[in-house]
Amino acid sequence: VTCGKFWDMEAIQLMQNLLPRETVLFIADAKMSFDSFRSSMVATVNSKTIITVNPGKITLQHPHHQKEASEDPTGGFSQRNSITDVYTVNQLKERAKEQSEPLYGITYSFISKFDLDSSVSKVIKTRCSKCKFLVTEDMKSCTNQLCPGREQPLSTTTGFDLLVDFTDHTGTLQACSLRGLVAEQTLGCTTDEFITLTDDQRTSLKWKFLLGRCKIYIKILPSPRMKSGLRGMILACTLADPGEVKQHMTKLLQEL
Ligand SMILES: [Zn+2]
């Protein structure tokens, strides 16, 4: 690709800050077409497109994200490029139970539970920056007895904090966390933008994901606290390309 067409205001602003031949862009869900005027392939960006700048270096669009991404071990942007193994939901569960290390994988599944249209307090939450315990802004100190910062004034981070279920023909993985920057990239909006959406807009955002098969990058850890014995963290989620789904599903079905 030698050239991109960018119509979205946020994307245009982003593109203006790029350095030619220096900045690397990771672009998911862009429309590719041949432009006869330029005699080359051209990428067109729309509202579904996710653009990550310099994915290996975790250089992100908004300065306030940098801290969050480096703090959050599930930020996942550097991890994502190295994840290539595709699994069914059942394979993910079986393999994750067999090993004590985290399992990383890709699954092409439907999101079967996504409570985006419940109250904002259930979608966006505030946690203690030190121990990630749920807190409220008005608290003076963290309520977690084991928090390393209990003696200090409470410092908090607020962000998307959702639990989603995803399902394919082999089963469902419940209550996977979709948080922070990964959630912003998935939804295509920041928490500030999300708060301004009407109920109808939030419902249609939710249905965009409920109706289509998604490509989900996931990290799964053993967790005795969870009913399933597993805790899933979504590292990236986009609506999947139907051609790509067909190719992988044919392969997975042959392995059954
Ligand atoms: Zn704490």
Side-chain angles (χ1 to χ4, degrees), residues 136-192:
T136 54
E137 304 261 11
D138 55 331
M139 283 180 183
K140 295 212 166 48
S141 65
C142 182
T143 49
N144 175 12
Q145 300 295 327
L146 302 171
C147 178
R150 245 177 85 75
E151 306 302 317
Q152 296 152 32
L154 181 65
S155 73
T156 60
T157 45
T158 299
F160 283 114
D161 207 321
L162 289 150
L163 291 176
V164 306
D165 293 357
F166 58 83
T167 302
D168 71 1
H169 60 287
T170 65
T172 298
L173 194 60
Q174 288 176 316
C176 295
S177 63
L178 177 64
R179 283 191 195 162
L181 189 52
V182 176
E184 287 189 11
Q185 293 216 331
T186 300
L187 298 171
C189 69
T190 63
T191 49
D192 289 344

Side-chain angles (χ1 to χ4, degrees), residues 128 130-133 142 144 147-148 154:
C128 167
K130 301 258 164 41
C131 70
K132 308 290 173 207
F133 209 68
C142 182
N144 175 12
C147 178
L154 181 65

Side-chain angles (χ1 to χ4, degrees), residues 13-180:
Q13 281 167 2
L14 172 68
M15 294 309 138
Q16 283 169 344
N17 296 322
L18 302 183
L19 302 169
R21 297 187 188 278
E22 237 185 278
T23 312
V24 176
L25 293 180
F26 177 80
I27 300 181
D29 270 12
K31 185 183 149 216
M32 299 295 297
S33 53
F34 185 76
D35 185 316
S36 50
F37 178 70
R38 294 183 185 83
S39 296
S40 65
M41 290 301 286
V42 167
T44 304
V45 166
N46 62 25
S47 59
K48 287 181 189 166
T49 309
I50 292 176
I51 304 172
T52 310
V53 180
N54 289 337
K57 291 194 232 165
I58 322 186
T59 305
L60 301 158
Q61 208 165 328
H62 304 292
H64 73 267
H65 286 154
Q66 290 182 358
K67 197 163 141 261
E68 187 186 318
S70 58
E71 268 179 10
D72 182 3
T74 70
F77 296 100
S78 51
Q79 295 162 349
R80 187 167 72 190
N81 291 340
S82 60
I83 303 171
T84 52
D85 294 332
V86 177
Y87 300 101
T88 63
V89 170
N90 193 43
Q91 285 171 341
L92 279 174
K93 288 175 161 179
E94 294 298 317
R95 303 234 177 154
K97 280 177 193 159
E98 284 165 11
Q99 61 184 62
S100 55
E101 267 99 73
L103 174 74
Y104 294 90
I106 297 169
T107 179
Y108 291 90
S109 297
F110 292 94
I111 291 186
S112 43
K113 184 162 176 276
F114 200 13
D115 289 337
L116 265 190
D117 45 5
S118 56
S119 70
V120 170
S121 64
K122 287 184 179 154
V123 176
I124 297 168
K125 291 176 191 158
T126 299
R127 289 178 184 269
C128 167
S129 330
K130 301 258 164 41
C131 70
K132 308 290 173 207
F133 209 68
L134 279 175
V135 293
T136 54
E137 304 261 11
D138 55 331
M139 283 180 183
K140 295 212 166 48
S141 65
C142 182
T143 49
N144 175 12
Q145 300 295 327
L146 302 171
C147 178
R150 245 177 85 75
E151 306 302 317
Q152 296 152 32
L154 181 65
S155 73
T156 60
T157 45
T158 299
F160 283 114
D161 207 321
L162 289 150
L163 291 176
V164 306
D165 293 357
F166 58 83
T167 302
D168 71 1
H169 60 287
T170 65
T172 298
L173 194 60
Q174 288 176 316
C176 295
S177 63
L178 177 64
R179 283 191 195 162

